[in-house]
Amino acid sequence: MSESVLIVGGTNLGKTGTLRQIIAHNPDMPAHVFDGQNRFTEICQFFGGVPDNCTVHKPQDVNEELQIMRDEVTPVFKGEPDGFGILAFDMIDDIWESSQTYFSEQVYHDDPAERMMKIREKMQREAETKKLNRPKNQNQYEGFIDWTVIKQWHRSLVNRAIESLPCHVIATTAVRELRKDAGSFSDDPRLLETWEDWGAIPTGEKRNSFLFMTLLGMSIRGSKRSRKVLGSIVKDWSHSDVPFTQVPDWWMEELDRDENGVYDLWAQYREAIGQPTAWPVPGA
C-alpha cells in the first residue's frame, strides 16, 4: 500500500534531510524529488551526495512543475503496482506560492505583492469616495474564478500524485501560528482540531492537512545552547493497527556526525510504530 507523509516543522530542523533519509532507506525504489529551493541538493552534500536512485527536478514555476509531472514523473510510475517508487516535494508550500505568482504574472502581469497593493489602493480610493472608514475586503484575487484556477494547478500536482499514482508521496512544509478567535481570519475549525494540540499549523494549501494520510511534526524545545528537537505523530491513518494517539512524542537523536542538528526522523517514526524503515518493493 502506498503511503503519503507530510513532514511539518520550523526552519533548520531537518525536514529536507528527512526526505533524503527516506530515499536512502529505500535504495531499490526509484525516487523523484521536486526541489524548488535547491535545498534538497544542498543537504544531500552533507550525506555524500544525491542517492543513486534519485532524480532531482528544479522547476522555475508552476507551469514547469506541471510539465515535469506530465512528461517525466508520471511515465515512471504509471501502470506500476501500488507502493512502487517515491515522489517527494521539498517545501510543498512553494507550489501554493508559485501557483499564485504564476497566475498573477500571466493574468495581471505583476507579482502577488504588487497585485495586493494595486487591489488595496483601488479599494482604498473607493472607500474614500464612499466616505467609508476602511475597505471591507482586500482579497488579492478575484474571488471564485481566480482561486479555482490557482487551486486546480495545485491539485494537478499534489492531489494527482497522491490519488492517481501508485508511488509513496512525501512532502515537507514550514509552519505558522494558529489563528483562533480572529473572526473571518480564523483557521478552519477542522484544521484547529488537527493541529491545536501540536501548537502550530502548516503553511501552504490548507487541504494538504486532510490530503496526506500521515502528518509528522518536528518542533524545538529549550534554548539555543540546550535545544532539543521533538518528533510527533500528529496524524497517521496509514497504519490502523497502530493507534497513533497512543504513540508518545519522542526526543530526536542526532546522527553520529561532526555537525549538530542532523536527525533521522523517519527511522525513529518507523521504530515508534513498529514498521521497518524500508518499504517492501512490490513483486520482489
Side-chain angles (χ1 to χ4, degrees):
M1 180 185 74
S2 60
E3 299 183 30
S4 56
V5 183
L6 181 62
I7 301 163
V8 179
T11 306
N12 297 326
L13 290 185
K15 300 185 300 295
T16 301
T18 297
L19 288 186
R20 196 272 178 194
Q21 293 301 95
I22 293 173
I23 293 170
H25 282 305
N26 292 271
D28 296 326
M29 286 194 180
H32 284 255
V33 177
F34 281 85
D35 184 20
Q37 293 186 353
N38 201 38
R39 286 284 294 165
F40 180 81
T41 304
E42 291 179 356
I43 292 298
C44 282
Q45 303 312 310
F46 290 108
F47 298 90
V50 175
D52 293 337
N53 60 321
C54 180
T55 301
V56 180
H57 305 282
K58 301 179 181 181
Q60 299 301 308
D61 55 42
V62 70
N63 184 52
E64 189 174 348
E65 288 170 340
L66 291 168
Q67 291 177 351
I68 292 171
M69 176 66 79
R70 181 193 64 208
D71 299 335
E72 300 182 47
V73 175
T74 298
V76 172
F77 299 122
K78 189 175 182 180
E80 296 292 344
D82 192 31
F84 175 82
I86 299 169
L87 176 57
F89 299 94
D90 190 28
M91 302 309 291
I92 199 172
D93 43 339
D94 281 352
I95 296 177
W96 184 236
E97 295 297 328
S98 66
S99 295
Q100 296 177 52
T101 299
Y102 187 74
F103 186 90
S104 281
E105 291 173 347
Q106 297 301 311
V107 177
Y108 299 112
H109 307 293
D110 51 29
D111 64 31
E114 292 172 342
R115 175 65 183 159
M116 172 66 83
M117 292 307 300
K118 289 179 180 178
I119 292 293
R120 188 184 189 285
E121 291 169 0
K122 176 183 176 183
M123 299 186 77
Q124 189 67 48
R125 288 195 301 270
E126 292 176 351
E128 292 173 354
T129 300
K130 296 178 182 179
K131 296 182 180 181
L132 298 175
N133 291 328
R134 58 179 290 183
K136 293 183 179 180
N137 185 4
Q138 295 182 358
N139 283 335
Q140 182 173 337
Y141 298 107
E142 304 293 338
F144 177 79
I145 296 176
D146 285 8
W147 282 115
T148 297
V149 174
I150 293 169
K151 289 180 179 181
Q152 183 58 45
W153 283 336
H154 186 275
R155 286 196 295 266
S156 294
L157 284 164
V158 183
N159 292 52
R160 181 181 181 185
I162 293 177
E163 297 170 356
S164 302
L165 297 179
C167 55
H168 304 284
V169 179
I170 316 295
T172 65
T173 189
V175 295
R176 62 169 175 79
E177 293 182 353
L178 295 162
R179 291 196 292 258
K180 299 169 54 180
D181 305 320
S184 61
F185 295 99
S186 296
D187 285 315
D188 187 311
R190 296 173 300 166
L191 284 175
L192 292 175
E193 182 180 1
T194 300
W195 293 100
E196 188 167 11
D197 286 346
W198 191 65
I201 201 166
T203 54
E205 225 289 4
K206 64 182 180 180
R207 290 177 178 80
N208 287 337
S209 294
F210 314 123
L211 183 64
F212 285 81
M213 298 296 286
T214 299
L215 306 175
L216 301 181
M218 301 178 73
S219 55
I220 292 180
R221 299 292 187 271
S223 64
K224 288 184 177 179
R225 293 185 178 181
S226 61
R227 85 166 195 169
K228 292 184 177 180
V229 178
L230 195 67
S232 307
I233 302 176
V234 180
K235 180 182 80 173
D236 194 348
W237 291 354
S238 296
H239 307 95
S240 58
D241 55 328
V242 183
F244 71 90
T245 54
Q246 297 180 18
V247 178
D249 295 346
W250 64 89
W251 294 115
M252 301 291 295
E253 298 177 2
E254 293 187 12
L255 297 180
D256 186 16
R257 299 177 62 256
D258 292 336
E259 293 83 359
N260 294 323
V262 179
Y263 308 95
D264 194 339
L265 172 68
W266 183 249
Q268 291 187 254
Y269 154 65
R270 300 294 281 189
E271 180 181 0
I273 63 172
Q275 295 289 325
T277 54
W279 284 300
V281 179

